[in-house]
Amino acid sequence: MNLEQIVCQQVIETERFVLRPLRKSDAGLIEHYVSDARVARMTRSVPHPLPPGAAEAFVARAMAEERDEDVWVIDGTIEGDSELKGVIGLKRMDRNQSEVSYWTAPPFWNTGLASAALKALVDANPQKNDAMFASVFQDNPASARVLIHCGFDYLGDAESYSVARGASVPTWTYSRKL
């Protein structure tokens, strides 16, 4: 079975980048970027240090036929830039809703990339959701600004466990009706 052919996800094109499904060949750059403690600490699920095989396992889960999350690479080759600038995903929830998550590689921070990727994903609405949710750690106001910029409304405070930090961390939760 060729896993490269299993993933059926919409490719979302913009002038600046393409959101495309993950490929096995993405594991190396994913490992490189999420091995950076600054990236891992702002996610719930990425451990730091990253154990061997973790990036490959993530890619395999994202490419699996039976999955509860669609994951896209922010691919900049359309502009002659990096093949992997970050990752954005939609995890299916009940009542036709999804939870969005994203990270961008440090070289692309403060460039508007995360906002542009989230806007493209919201506009495409590939899962045909009625609403999207997101939460960000309160010590990551840049990610909160991305959500607000893309029309997400603040819902409230909560906590989420961060594997990299080994602790529960205060979060802000946002939603967007579609």
Side-chain angles (χ1 to χ4, degrees):
M1 176 182 345
N2 181 351
L3 288 179
E4 296 286 329
Q5 297 174 353
I6 288 178
V7 177
C8 273
Q9 284 177 220
Q10 179 179 348
V11 173
I12 302 165
E13 296 183 20
T14 73
E15 290 182 15
R16 188 173 170 195
F17 56 82
V18 173
L19 298 180
R20 62 158 174 84
L22 271 71
R23 303 188 280 240
K24 287 183 190 180
S25 60
D26 294 323
L29 281 173
I30 289 172
E31 180 174 356
H32 173 72
Y33 289 132
V34 299
S35 291
D36 186 322
R38 297 172 299 170
V39 175
R41 290 177 51 78
M42 293 304 163
T43 71
R44 288 186 297 204
S45 60
V46 176
H48 186 76
L50 193 69
E56 291 83 358
F58 170 74
V59 171
R61 283 191 308 276
M63 293 177 66
E65 192 169 2
E66 298 294 323
R67 62 186 186 279
D68 65 356
E69 182 176 19
D70 292 332
V71 181
W72 291 265
V73 162
I74 305 168
D75 185 327
T77 55
I78 195 169
E79 283 195 326
D81 208 345
S82 177
E83 184 176 356
L84 192 147
K85 294 177 145 190
V87 170
I88 190 164
L90 285 174
K91 185 172 187 173
R92 290 172 193 80
M93 300 169 63
D94 62 350
R95 298 184 313 220
N96 202 33
Q97 304 172 106
S98 287
E99 181 178 20
V100 66
S101 60
Y102 52 88
W103 59 262
T104 56
F108 310 107
W109 287 353
N110 301 312
T111 64
L113 179 66
S115 291
L118 181 55
K119 182 180 182 328
L121 190 64
V122 167
D123 289 349
N125 193 8
Q127 294 179 352
K128 306 300 180 220
N129 292 125
D130 294 330
M132 290 183 190
F133 291 87
S135 64
V136 297
F137 293 136
Q138 291 182 10
D139 60 356
N140 188 1
S143 276
R145 285 190 298 275
V146 166
L147 293 168
I148 292 166
H149 182 258
C150 292
F152 282 70
D153 295 316
Y154 171 77
L155 289 179
D157 294 1
E159 282 189 351
S160 290
Y161 187 79
S162 168
V163 175
R165 300 179 194 209
S168 289
V169 181
T171 61
W172 292 312
T173 303
Y174 294 84
S175 71
R176 168 137 186 206
K177 301 283 186 210
L178 302 170

